[in-house]
Amino acid sequence: MKNTVLHKANTRGHADHGWLNAYHSFSFASWYNPERIQFGMLRVLNDDTIAAGMGFGTHPHDNMEIITIPLEGDLAHKDSMGNAEVIKTGDVQVMSAGTGIQHSEFNPNADQRTKLFQIWVFPKYRNVTPRYQQITLDVTEQKNNFAQILSPNADDAGVWIYQDAWFYLADFDKDFTKTYTINKVNNGLYVFVISGTIIVDDQELETRDGLGIWDFSTIEIKATTDAKFLLMEIPMNQ
């Protein structure tokens, strides 16, 4: 039988540090909710707004797949692998932290905020050699479509990670409906609404709502307004 868990936008953790306004779908930093630790191998979904000229100083990670999706503005990135890049709206960045990396992230613009999703996924393999990847998406592929932005396969569309996960971005017109089919048996799907309203399996989701679904093979998604959303197909156990 299909199972679901609903996370309304107003139930997320929230921390306003002035320079950083962050909403947490899952327990993070000082926000802890024992019922919101993770969804399968999806550990973190942070919805961050970084003030102009501000950012995160150098800090470490290991054994985590870290995906960053800018929504507005730019993010300057530097890391211990020697990468110094700026990721922009329409880009996707991934780091396989593996045996350990250090990196910093900041908003390089003096007059514009940066909004982004940062997502952490537990890896399939521990202690891999750290790696970095960044691509620019063709956003036109998202119109009334599930545009793949991440997979386990280096040869597929989007970035790749060390996990049997598939991510998609979608930009649906009002009343458009499409069926999602799971890629791997025993994976689950976490749907997160960027803007607008959609119906997933008879459950209405509004802006910044999240819905986790597992034990299913296909699911219908309908937009009741113009809507943008992120689909994250994730193993439910390792």
Side-chain angles (χ1 to χ4, degrees), residues 42-151:
L42 175 61
R43 174 61 189 87
V44 166
L45 172 54
N46 286 350
D47 183 0
D48 292 346
T49 300
I50 303 171
M54 303 300 286
F56 300 90
T58 302
H59 58 282
H61 295 282
D62 64 58
N63 288 310
M64 194 66 72
E65 303 294 306
I66 301 168
I67 302 102
T68 302
I69 304 173
L71 303 174
E72 181 183 313
D74 307 326
L75 190 70
H77 165 97
K78 289 185 180 179
D79 65 42
S80 53
M81 295 177 280
N83 299 294
E85 305 287 348
V86 175
I87 55 173
K88 299 176 177 292
T89 306
D91 292 349
V92 176
Q93 177 206 72
V94 65
M95 291 185 297
S96 298
T99 54
I101 59 162
Q102 296 200 30
H103 78 131
S104 63
E105 302 163 292
F106 71 97
N107 178 355
N109 300 313
D111 57 354
Q112 182 184 7
R113 67 185 182 182
T114 296
K115 295 177 73 71
L116 60 95
F117 293 148
Q118 185 161 103
I119 301 161
W120 297 4
V121 175
F122 288 114
K124 189 174 184 177
Y125 310 108
R126 290 183 61 81
N127 298 323
V128 301
T129 299
R131 58 175 290 272
Y132 178 92
Q133 187 184 8
Q134 174 184 339
I135 64 167
T136 298
L137 303 171
D138 179 355
V139 295
T140 63
E141 295 178 354
Q142 300 168 23
K143 178 56 71 173
N144 294 327
N145 188 38
F146 305 137
Q148 182 175 294
I149 65 166
L150 177 148
S151 79

